[in-house]
Amino acid sequence: MKYELYYWPTIQGRGEYVRLALEEAGSSYRDIARESGRGRGVPALLSMMRTRRVARPPFAPPYLKAGRLIIGQTANILAFLGPRHGLAPREEGGRLWVHQLQLTLSDFVGEIHDTHHPISPDLYYREQEKEALRRTAEILKRRAPKYLGYFEDVMARNGRHARYLVGARLSYVDLSMFQVVAGLGFAFPRAAAKWTRRYKRLYALHAQVQERPRIAAYLASPRRIAFNNDGVFRQYPELDLAGG
Ligand SMILES: N[C@@H](CCC(=O)N[C@@H](CS)C(=O)NCC(=O)O)C(=O)O
């Protein structure tokens, strides 16, 4: 099946979790908002959410068009792709566990987004900088270590398969974890330097994922958008310093 991904064209954002899964699967997909012409680009992305012709419109990007299905919510898209492309366990318990971890990672990503937009995503960072400093201090001191410690422990409990979060094979949540670790390193290099030593399994996972042939090829390609200060992970040195 040829997929159509709809996501903002200039950022990795939440679309990146879907891109990584599609790339690892070797799927053929189009990143519609990054193309130009009729039925493409940002107008196409917006129109699918607004048109009365779509009975089940997504609230926000990313969303994926797969045949007649239009699927929104990052974790939901991954729950759809995972079993189809060998990126999730076959049995129900394992599938639910990967989905649960992905939802927990989505919560973490939401909190990371709050570091620079604690009041509203519709205001500029500079309009909420004071609150951002306070929120980031909390997140870097308590929330990020709580999430990272949880995921490190999940890997440890995976026993002899502790190379992955779930079971003996890579799943889509490993790819998402890779992206979160990479993003934290971009946004908070100071804080992340400490985390590298403390969460050894997560950092080993990150190193391992970036060397997988399809992921390495993707990361080196123009399809991978570089981190920048419009995405979820943003580099504001004053926020990194707020972590103490
Ligand atoms: N929970 C959703 C969040 C989607 C979301 O927040 N999308 C952002 C871009 S990363 C957006 O464009 N939001 C528009 C809005 O919230 O108004 C998911 O994980 O997909």
Side-chain angles (χ1 to χ4, degrees), residues 33-53:
R34 295 181 71 190
E35 296 181 8
S36 52
R38 234 189 110 146
R40 298 170 218 166
V42 172
L45 167 96
L46 296 174
S47 120
M48 190 87 84
M49 295 192 290
R50 292 171 181 168
T51 174
R52 304 305 296 176
R53 278 182 286 120

Side-chain angles (χ1 to χ4, degrees), residues 2-12 15-16 19 22-23 28-36 40-41 45 63 218 222-225:
K2 192 165 167 124
Y3 299 112
E4 288 185 356
L5 170 65
Y6 290 77
Y7 192 67
W8 302 114
T10 55
I11 57 171
Q12 296 178 358
E16 200 61 16
R19 292 191 183 109
L22 291 167
E23 293 282 346
S28 156
Y29 74 99
R30 287 173 57 191
D31 207 337
I32 296 291
R34 295 181 71 190
E35 296 181 8
S36 52
R40 298 170 218 166
L45 167 96
Y63 58 90
Y218 168 60
R223 297 190 301 287
R224 169 79 164 183
I225 300 166

Side-chain angles (χ1 to χ4, degrees), residues 111 136-148 195 199:
E111 293 196 36
T136 305
E138 271 303 304
I139 289 176
L140 295 185
K141 276 186 215 146
R142 277 181 270 273
R143 300 298 293 170
K146 186 168 179 180
Y147 279 109
L148 293 171
W195 297 336
Y199 307 111

Side-chain angles (χ1 to χ4, degrees), residues 5-239:
L5 170 65
Y6 290 77
Y7 192 67
W8 302 114
T10 55
I11 57 171
Q12 296 178 358
R14 289 179 175 89
E16 200 61 16
Y17 305 99
V18 182
R19 292 191 183 109
L20 285 166
L22 291 167
E23 293 282 346
E24 175 61 28
S27 292
S28 156
Y29 74 99
R30 287 173 57 191
D31 207 337
I32 296 291
R34 295 181 71 190
E35 296 181 8
S36 52
R38 234 189 110 146
R40 298 170 218 166
V42 172
L45 167 96
L46 296 174
S47 120
M48 190 87 84
M49 295 192 290
R50 292 171 181 168
T51 174
R52 304 305 296 176
R53 278 182 286 120
V54 170
R56 297 170 177 172
F59 173 75
Y63 58 90
L64 185 78
K65 193 161 178 298
R68 295 168 70 167
L69 291 177
I70 298 172
I71 309 161
Q73 289 286 353
T74 311
N76 199 34
I77 300 169
L78 293 171
F80 168 79
L81 290 174
R84 276 172 179 74
H85 297 284
L87 289 173
R90 270 171 225 254
E91 38 82 43
E92 187 179 40
R95 267 202 332 268
L96 284 170
W97 177 225
V98 173
H99 183 49
Q100 180 177 324
L101 292 174
Q102 187 69 40
L103 288 169
T104 308
L105 211 48
S106 295
D107 290 344
F108 186 20
V109 169
E111 293 196 36
I112 293 165
H113 185 265
D114 287 349
T115 58
H116 46 81
H117 281 79
I119 302 295
S120 168
D122 295 331
L123 296 174
Y124 290 110
Y125 165 63
R126 297 293 169 204
E127 296 175 85
Q128 44 193 322
E129 193 175 339
K130 204 164 116 262
E131 293 86 353
L133 284 166
R134 198 159 165 218
R135 186 77 202 251
T136 305
E138 271 303 304
I139 289 176
L140 295 185
K141 276 186 215 146
R142 277 181 270 273
R143 300 298 293 170
K146 186 168 179 180
Y147 279 109
L148 293 171
Y150 170 76
F151 285 108
E152 178 81 7
D153 185 52
V154 166
M155 285 193 81
R157 284 167 197 243
N158 199 20
R160 65 194 167 85
H161 301 308
R163 276 159 52 83
Y164 303 108
L165 279 154
V166 178
R169 293 183 54 189
L170 181 101
S171 65
Y172 61 77
V173 72
D174 292 311
L175 299 171
S176 296
M177 194 73 233
F178 155 80
Q179 175 66 11
V180 168
V181 168
L184 289 171
F186 170 75
F188 307 110
R190 226 174 105 99
K194 283 181 263 166
W195 297 336
T196 316
R197 293 189 295 275
R198 201 179 305 164
Y199 307 111
K200 291 206 160 43
R201 288 186 174 84
L202 296 182
Y203 279 83
L205 175 68
H206 170 270
Q208 189 201 145
V209 166
Q210 77 180 355
E211 275 160 26
R212 293 181 72 86
R214 283 177 175 162
I215 297 296
Y218 168 60
L219 296 177
S221 79
R223 297 190 301 287
R224 169 79 164 183
I225 300 166
F227 282 110
N228 60 52
N229 268 14
D230 295 319
V232 172
F233 297 99
R234 300 190 187 189
Q235 202 171 63
Y236 295 118
E238 64 276 18
L239 294 187

